[in-house]
Amino acid sequence: MEMDIDDDFSDISEDKIHSFLQSKLNEITAEKQNLEIMLKERQQELSETPSQEATLQVESHWKKLVNCKYVIGFKVSCSEKFQDIQVCLNYCDNFEKTLEYETRSFSASVASCSNHVSCQCIVCGVLLQTNFFDNKQAYVSISFEMPEFLKQSHTSLSGYILATISGKLDQVSAELPDISISINDFTTMPNNFSLQDQSLPNLLTLIASGQQSDLVMILPDEWVTPLECTFEINCSLTYLHVGNGCFYLANRVSEVFDRSVLIVHPDNQSKELFLKVYTANENVLYPFVHHLLSNIKGSYILPKSVFLKMSISRGIVRKNLLKEFRNNMLSEVSAGRMYCKSLEVVGGNTTRSKLNDRESKTDLTFLQVTSSS
């Protein structure tokens, strides 16, 4: 009996192949439909979400007059982390002279600092003078000498703030609100700098209008008076309740150095006190220092740079010296970039002082590195 083996196996093979291909086709069709649904949903999301570009905003500002200087302050916020704030400011009117001004930028929130040697905090836990703003907010102060009101009794200022987005080459800008300055400001502007109410505008005004000096006070070995009494009782300075810092103001002490500010780093646990002193100018600094020395018998006050050089010669080497040198070098490069940009705008040459400050800090740290190697 003959059997058609080929025909039988052929039928079975065709059925299996057809079934297999049909199942795969169904799977691909279902997957295609799912992908089409996902694509439509994603396209819908993209159409509803506008493209996000970094924005810079000026939220508030204030104007104050102290130490024969106008000080204008701004709170600046950005949608991304930013750095290298640059201010371009001009007289709106045809005023007699070119406007020369100095800017400082501060981070609004920093942790308490434990390194009193390299600390750049203005008030530890409150303000840090820096070019990098991790919390997307900053305070900017602009200070300039009083204009000569010869032909006009008032004028106005306009300008903008420019910042660089961290980690990018993108720059963002924001216009500053027009600010009027007038001869009437001499009599009508509020002039209360007690700082007892922890007024941030007043604090920034005193800092911006003054000259900063980094000093070290060496107390005598036998000195046992608590720190707060040392400056409050012995020197008649007023303690200010601002942040975590030991903050003192010369108020009704002398016509010469009243409104001078002294900040003692809170981490001091020895007879060596690291100070930041803000005075109207260098001529005011010297009588203020003599006032401190005459009331704290047996103490010494010297520039911080001199103290650190003395420490090197005695073989005292700080930890993380190379890291500090690297950070100072990065700050100097950043300040140099800002200075180069500022040459293109009116009044920009005032950023040279910031570059000089960064250069001196880098040079000092380099001296320490080479001396300790």
Side-chain angles (χ1 to χ4, degrees):
M1 180 178 181
E2 255 183 57
M3 295 182 61
D4 192 355
I5 299 176
D6 292 337
D7 289 343
D8 291 341
F9 276 98
S10 176
D11 293 341
I12 295 173
S13 177
E14 287 179 1
D15 289 342
K16 288 184 177 181
I17 292 173
H18 181 270
S19 176
F20 173 77
L21 292 177
Q22 185 64 45
S23 64
K24 287 299 181 184
L25 178 61
N26 293 338
E27 290 179 8
I28 294 172
T29 303
E31 183 67 21
K32 179 176 177 292
Q33 291 174 347
N34 290 335
L35 289 175
E36 288 177 347
I37 294 173
M38 292 175 60
L39 180 61
K40 290 180 180 179
E41 291 177 350
R42 182 59 179 161
Q43 288 175 338
Q44 181 68 20
E45 291 177 1
L46 292 175
S47 64
E48 295 176 353
T49 304
S51 58
Q52 297 294 327
E53 294 184 358
T55 57
L56 194 68
Q57 293 183 333
V58 178
E59 297 183 6
S60 60
H61 74 277
W62 63 88
K63 176 185 70 173
K64 293 182 180 292
L65 182 62
V66 67
N67 290 333
C68 296
K69 286 185 178 181
Y70 277 96
V71 178
I72 303 170
F74 299 94
K75 183 179 180 181
V76 181
S77 63
C78 187
S79 57
E80 297 186 31
K81 295 179 181 179
F82 62 106
Q83 64 190 56
D84 294 346
I85 288 181
Q86 183 182 353
V87 176
C88 301
L89 196 64
N90 251 322
Y91 291 124
C92 293
D93 309 315
N94 296 322
F95 215 64
E96 289 84 1
K97 290 187 177 181
T98 301
L99 179 61
E100 296 288 340
Y101 55 91
E102 180 182 1
T103 64
R104 297 185 186 184
S105 52
F106 306 89
S107 172
S109 177
V110 294
S112 295
C113 179
S114 60
N115 189 345
H116 55 271
V117 178
S118 60
C119 174
Q120 294 301 312
C121 300
I122 302 302
V123 182
C124 293
V126 178
L127 291 173
L128 174 68
Q129 187 168 334
T130 180
N131 289 328
F132 300 89
F133 306 94
D134 289 337
N135 57 354
K136 303 180 183 180
Q137 284 190 342
Y139 287 92
V140 179
S141 67
I142 308 170
S143 61
F144 53 93
E145 301 290 340
M146 292 187 302
E148 297 177 2
F149 293 100
L150 298 178
K151 299 178 182 179
Q152 303 179 58
S153 61
H154 67 277
T155 186
S156 57
L157 304 174
S158 65
Y160 61 91
I161 289 182
L162 188 68
T164 303
I165 301 301
S166 298
K168 301 180 181 179
L169 297 178
D170 299 340
Q171 289 187 322
V172 290
S173 63
E175 288 190 6
L176 299 177
D178 289 344
I179 298 172
S180 174
I181 60 175
S182 168
I183 195 72
N184 295 328
D185 293 340
F186 301 150
T187 55
T188 60
M189 288 179 64
N191 205 14
N192 178 16
F193 290 93
S194 67
L195 294 181
Q196 295 293 344
D197 58 352
Q198 304 191 41
S199 169
L200 190 58
N202 283 351
L203 169 62
L204 289 177
T205 297
L206 285 175
I207 290 174
S209 65
Q211 171 184 290
Q212 176 183 316
S213 301
D214 289 297
L215 307 175
V216 178
M217 169 178 274
I218 303 175
L219 298 173
D221 293 335
E222 63 275 10
W223 193 266
V224 294
T225 306
L227 184 62
E228 58 273 13
C229 298
T230 296
F231 293 106
E232 278 195 285
I233 297 178
N234 290 71
C235 303
S236 302
L237 303 183
T238 303
Y239 177 76
L240 303 175
H241 301 279
V242 181
N244 301 326
C246 300
F247 206 97
Y248 301 91
L249 174 70
N251 184 36
R252 299 180 182 177
V253 179
S254 166
E255 290 289 340
V256 177
F257 54 77
D258 269 357
R259 291 184 181 165
S260 295
V261 179
L262 182 147
I263 306 174
V264 186
H265 195 281
D267 191 50
N268 288 137
Q269 301 294 332
S270 65
K271 300 295 183 180
E272 298 167 349
L273 305 179
F274 287 78
L275 313 176
K276 286 186 183 295
V277 178
Y278 293 88
T279 54
N281 51 56
E282 194 173 62
N283 292 333
V284 174
L285 172 66
Y286 297 138
F288 184 52
V289 168
H290 281 291
H291 170 74
L292 299 176
L293 292 174
S294 62
N295 288 280
I296 305 176
K297 303 296 183 182
S299 62
Y300 297 90
I301 295 180
L302 63 161
K304 182 178 177 180
S305 58
V306 174
F307 174 81
L308 294 179
K309 290 178 181 179
M310 291 172 55
S311 299
I312 294 172
S313 65
R314 297 201 308 265
I316 302 175
V317 181
R318 290 175 295 168
K319 298 179 180 179
N320 301 322
L321 203 55
L322 289 175
K323 181 179 179 181
E324 181 181 344
F325 174 69
R326 172 183 175 275
N327 292 337
N328 286 340
M329 180 62 76
L330 290 175
S331 296
E332 182 180 336
V333 171
S334 176
R337 183 167 62 248
M338 291 181 63
Y339 174 67
C340 292
K341 292 178 181 178
S342 70
L343 294 178
E344 302 174 1
V345 299
V346 178
N349 59 356
T350 55
T351 57
R352 178 66 204 183
S353 60
K354 182 178 293 186
L355 177 58
N356 290 339
D357 178 63
R358 299 293 188 274
E359 288 176 343
S360 63
K361 290 175 182 176
T362 303
D363 293 343
L364 179 59
T365 316
F366 178 76
L367 176 62
Q368 294 175 267
V369 171
T370 54
S371 301
S372 59
S373 59

